[in-house]
Structures are given as structure tokens and as C-alpha cells.
Amino acid sequence: MAIELGKPVPDFSATATGDTTITLSQLRGKQVVIYFYPKASTPGCTTEGGDFRDRKAAFDAANTVVIGVSRDGLRAQENFKAKQDFNFELISDKDEAVCQLFDVIKLKKMYGKEHLGIERSTFLIDRDGKLAREWRGVKVPGHVEEVLAAAQELNSQ
């Protein structure tokens, strides 16, 4: 079942850092940014996470929760969060359930070899649990500012 703009995002629960389980339905009433990144502790993912970290107060002011997701194990996610001082939780999606829900697993090429991996993507879910915006094939520079502007605009409606 693919997610669609303007439609409710199916509920899910996933193991996350900070000894938490994130359940989407428990976040109703708040906007939610879910961003998918290929691998913890790699340069682009570190930069993107840092951009979200550095703008957390602005996302909070826009009634928006930020959650990162990758296929890394929980220990790798905990280490990544601690090392980068991230002030939001990271989901460990080793079984790819959340990745598949958002259809972010794509065939990628690296050094001439093909493999399945996460396509860097971000989703903005409104207070009622409906998909408001999506960004796929994200380039990191300037991306978080664009997501923040969309969250602020949505929050003011």
C-alpha cells in the first residue's frame, strides 16, 4: 500500500533511539517530519541530520516532530545520535517495514555495482496524520530549510 499526498499515512510502530518505540498515531495533533537517509555516520547523512538538529527550535515552534530513519541497527543509530548530539530520535528499520511503507528502497549504483538502498527522502505529515508533502531524491544542501518552510506554512493554516 503506497502512501499518497492528501491521504492518511498508515499507522506504524518502530524501535527508536532513547529506548523508545515510535508509533505514528501517538503523534496526532503534531506535524511530523520523517526523513530517510542511507547510512548512519556517513558525510551526507551527518550533514542532513546536523541541519535538522540545528533547526529543532524552529521545528518545535512550528508544532513539528522530526524523526530520522535508516536501516542501521539500533546500536549504530544510538552511536550516531550521541556523536552528532542529535536532539530527535532515529528509527532503526532493519526489517525495512517503514522504508517499504514510504517506498524509499530503490536500486542504486555505486562504483558501477547495483544494490538496493534508501533513496534520501523526506515526508511531512499534517496534524491529522495525512501526507502533506514529500521530497524524493533529496540533495542535502538547502533541503532542511525547504522542509522547515513547508512545516511553518502548514502549521499556520
Side-chain angles (χ1 to χ4, degrees):
M1 179 176 167
I3 59 167
E4 292 180 50
L5 283 172
K7 304 275 189 194
V9 175
D11 196 21
F12 66 85
S13 291
T15 303
T17 53
D19 199 27
T20 60
T21 298
I22 292 175
T23 302
L24 185 61
S25 61
Q26 292 178 342
L27 298 172
R28 291 271 156 70
K30 291 189 176 287
Q31 298 176 160
V32 180
V33 166
I34 300 177
Y35 80 97
F36 291 84
Y37 57 95
K39 188 153 182 57
S41 300
T42 57
C45 300
T46 299
T47 300
E48 184 179 26
D51 288 348
F52 277 111
R53 175 198 61 217
D54 296 347
R55 288 159 187 80
K56 184 173 186 308
F59 278 104
D60 288 348
N63 190 37
T64 305
V65 175
V66 173
I67 302 165
V69 183
S70 79
R71 300 183 303 177
D72 294 289
L74 192 56
R75 177 180 283 158
Q77 296 289 53
E78 290 284 6
N79 290 341
F80 187 38
K81 179 183 174 189
K83 186 174 182 183
Q84 300 304 324
D85 201 26
F86 290 158
N87 44 17
F88 53 87
E89 302 306 334
L90 303 175
I91 288 175
S92 170
D93 193 32
K94 283 184 80 80
D95 66 359
E96 300 179 1
V98 182
C99 290
Q100 289 176 8
L101 176 65
F102 285 87
D103 190 29
V104 298
I105 301 292
K106 303 292 178 189
L107 191 61
K108 300 167 86 175
K109 273 191 177 174
M110 184 180 286
Y111 306 118
K113 291 189 176 205
E114 291 184 335
H115 69 282
L116 288 174
I118 291 179
E119 176 184 50
R120 192 180 304 278
S121 306
T122 303
F123 302 87
L124 175 60
I125 301 168
D126 71 13
R127 307 183 259 287
D128 299 320
K130 293 179 183 166
L131 183 62
R133 291 279 307 270
E134 66 179 10
W135 295 263
R136 293 181 182 271
V138 166
K139 302 292 183 229
V140 173
H143 174 63
V144 172
E145 291 83 358
E146 187 178 338
V147 174
L148 177 58
Q152 290 167 329
E153 181 182 336
L154 184 62
N155 190 51
S156 67
Q157 294 175 358

